[in-house]
Amino acid sequence: MTAQPDRIVHVTTVHQPFDPRIFYKQLASLRDAGFDTHLIAPHDRTEQVQGISIHALPQSTARWRRIALHPTALRMAQALNADLYQVHDPELLPVAFLLREATGARIVYDMHENYRAKGPILGRALRTLERWAFRWVDHVLIAEESYRSIVEAGPVSSTYIPNYFRPIGDARLGAPAKAGHTPARLLYTGTLSASRGLRTMVKLAARIRRAGRPETIDLVGICRYEKQRAWAKARIQEEDLNSILSRVGWDTYVPPSTMPPYYRRADVGLALFEPHPNHRGSIPTKFYEYLHYGLPLICSDIPRWRRFVERHACGAVVPPGEPAAVLDVLDEWRAHPERYRERAERARAAASRYRWKPVGQRLATLYRQVLNEKVTGASVTG
């Protein structure tokens, strides 16, 4: 008889089912490696997508309602009788512990953020949960090297699984910038919030309009904060910015598979974040996406980000919260189009260093090691 493939179940109550890291990178790579892959996540229906079985939880954005889903998530996960469970949210660690006790399955925890930065109360509570879990989980995946010091405080082994680029949808490249081309179409992709530069980009659009400049800005992503959406909408109407600033998604999640056309027609990728602790310790996934499409970056002057941009000569950094500095960079590139073209070429050249495929292959190898109780704690650097 042919042996049944090991069953893997990922569980989240926070993330969208088609979260790029969870669905398109990790689960897709595990499926390709021959695992029987399942995902328990908030969704409107239970279905199978691209060979991955999605088991739907009710959808909710409120934390207390998500926590109320934990008994349901536990029952669903236990019924699947997996060989290994991976949880993506620190609040699910007690559920993972109960699964371990009830099934004897292996447990992996994927640390997406430095949750201590969530604030003095919530952040401390989440860190306490993590430190407790480090005593009994089988392995921890970390999305950023900077999180390693957090995990090393406990006895558990960890592996760096970076959020490198994996093509989703039609990821064909656009044509390289031609000689004399000057950048006019600016792009931001991903979750929108004040800490991720929403206010700065709206103010940038206002400056563009008042000065009669040629630039436009595409914001492609969801803003989950109603008050921030209301502020931005009011400012856009007051300043008559609809011809300058387009919003795609806004109050609705934008599937990654629909984003490639926006990348291909853009000239510059924006990341005008505030220097929040989580931002200072990580490289945004959108950096790797911008590089793939040959988009020079204009990003906030955060030390880790500055080093990335300078290492690859792929863009420019500006002081956080200063839209005038963005216009200064664009003016320089307009006056010297060869500088813009060189940065675009450097972006394309750097992209090959940040591909997901080898990381996904190593993730599958790591899973086999965890299942065979042979984890050594070796680091995956991609």
Side-chain angles (χ1 to χ4, degrees):
M1 294 179 62
T2 303
Q4 293 296 313
D6 288 320
R7 174 167 288 184
I8 306 301
V9 176
H10 284 216
V11 189
T12 179
T13 55
V14 174
H15 299 277
Q16 294 280 343
F18 303 110
D19 176 273
R21 178 175 175 86
I22 297 172
F23 186 88
Y24 288 104
K25 295 177 184 177
Q26 294 187 5
L27 282 168
S29 292
L30 295 168
R31 174 207 61 204
D32 293 346
F35 292 99
D36 176 17
T37 50
H38 297 255
L39 172 62
I40 297 172
H43 195 34
D44 56 5
R45 62 188 179 278
T46 292
E47 60 178 337
Q48 187 171 81
V49 179
Q50 298 179 16
I52 298 166
S53 298
I54 301 175
H55 306 268
L57 289 169
Q59 296 173 303
S60 177
T61 57
R63 182 178 294 274
W64 69 268
R65 288 182 177 171
R66 294 200 305 262
I67 292 174
L69 294 175
H70 287 187
T72 303
L74 174 61
R75 288 193 298 271
M76 293 172 67
Q78 190 170 350
L80 287 169
N81 193 29
D83 298 286
L84 184 151
Y85 295 95
Q86 178 169 316
V87 295
H88 291 269
D89 322 318
E91 60 202 52
L92 279 173
L93 287 168
V95 172
F97 180 79
L98 294 174
L99 283 170
R100 174 178 177 269
E101 294 299 297
T103 68
R106 300 286 181 258
I107 302 294
V108 173
Y109 171 49
D110 191 7
M111 184 186 291
H112 290 234
E113 299 182 47
N114 178 359
Y115 296 101
R116 184 64 181 84
K118 291 289 186 181
I121 298 176
L122 178 59
R124 186 174 291 113
L126 295 177
R127 179 57 51 79
T128 299
L129 263 179
E130 289 178 332
R131 285 176 174 164
W132 164 68
F134 294 162
R135 300 200 296 265
W136 52 264
V137 298
D138 293 286
H139 206 74
V140 176
L141 308 181
I142 54 176
E144 296 289 343
E145 280 278 22
S146 61
Y147 305 163
R148 188 173 297 283
S149 61
I150 301 169
V151 182
E152 286 176 347
V156 69
S157 297
S158 64
T159 299
Y160 173 42
I161 298 294
N163 254 336
Y164 288 171
F165 178 79
R166 179 170 188 165
I168 300 171
D170 182 3
R172 289 177 297 113
L173 298 179
K178 296 180 180 179
H181 177 77
T182 57
R185 190 144 198 168
L186 315 181
L187 174 68
Y188 173 90
T189 59
T191 300
L192 287 154
S193 67
S195 71
R196 292 171 177 258
L198 176 59
R199 294 180 184 274
T200 301
M201 290 186 288
V202 171
K203 293 175 182 178
L204 173 61
R207 284 178 174 265
I208 290 170
R209 191 185 187 314
R210 288 197 294 269
R213 297 175 63 99
E215 291 90 3
T216 60
I217 306 172
D218 288 339
L219 304 181
V220 184
I222 186 173
C223 179
R224 295 188 171 90
Y225 305 100
E226 187 174 349
K227 289 183 178 179
Q228 294 184 22
R229 290 201 308 270
W231 174 87
K233 183 178 179 181
R235 186 71 183 269
I236 290 167
Q237 290 177 340
E238 290 168 7
E239 300 267 4
D240 191 20
L241 301 180
N242 283 306
S243 63
I244 306 296
L245 192 152
S246 71
R247 291 164 287 162
V248 179
W250 195 235
D251 58 357
T252 304
Y253 180 71
V254 180
S257 58
T258 67
M259 289 186 176
Y262 298 99
Y263 287 113
R264 283 199 295 272
R265 71 190 190 202
D267 297 318
V268 175
L270 298 177
L272 306 177
F273 289 24
E274 297 298 318
H276 185 276
N278 252 336
H279 303 156
R280 293 198 298 267
S282 63
I283 295 294
T285 305
K286 59 180 58 47
F287 277 25
Y288 310 132
E289 295 160 0
Y290 292 157
L291 294 186
H292 174 78
Y293 290 96
L295 301 182
L297 318 177
I298 299 181
C299 66
S300 295
D301 191 356
I302 293 171
R304 186 180 296 267
W305 299 12
R306 171 182 280 275
R307 290 193 294 271
F308 184 95
V309 171
E310 289 179 345
R311 180 164 66 250
H312 299 300
C314 61
V317 296
V318 296
E322 295 189 17
V326 178
L327 298 181
D328 289 341
V329 172
L330 295 171
D331 286 340
E332 179 195 352
W333 289 349
R334 182 170 292 108
H336 304 280
E338 72 282 359
R339 296 180 187 174
Y340 166 77
R341 191 173 70 255
E342 178 183 3
R343 282 157 179 78
E345 291 170 354
R346 292 289 186 91
R348 283 177 183 259
S352 62
R353 300 178 58 174
Y354 302 104
R355 304 290 191 212
W356 169 261
K357 185 175 180 179
V359 180
Q361 292 169 342
R362 293 171 190 173
L363 176 66
T365 298
L366 171 67
Y367 259 56
R368 295 189 181 99
Q369 291 175 339
V370 171
L371 288 164
N372 291 322
E373 298 183 308
K374 294 179 181 178
V375 174
T376 64
S379 178
V380 175
T381 60

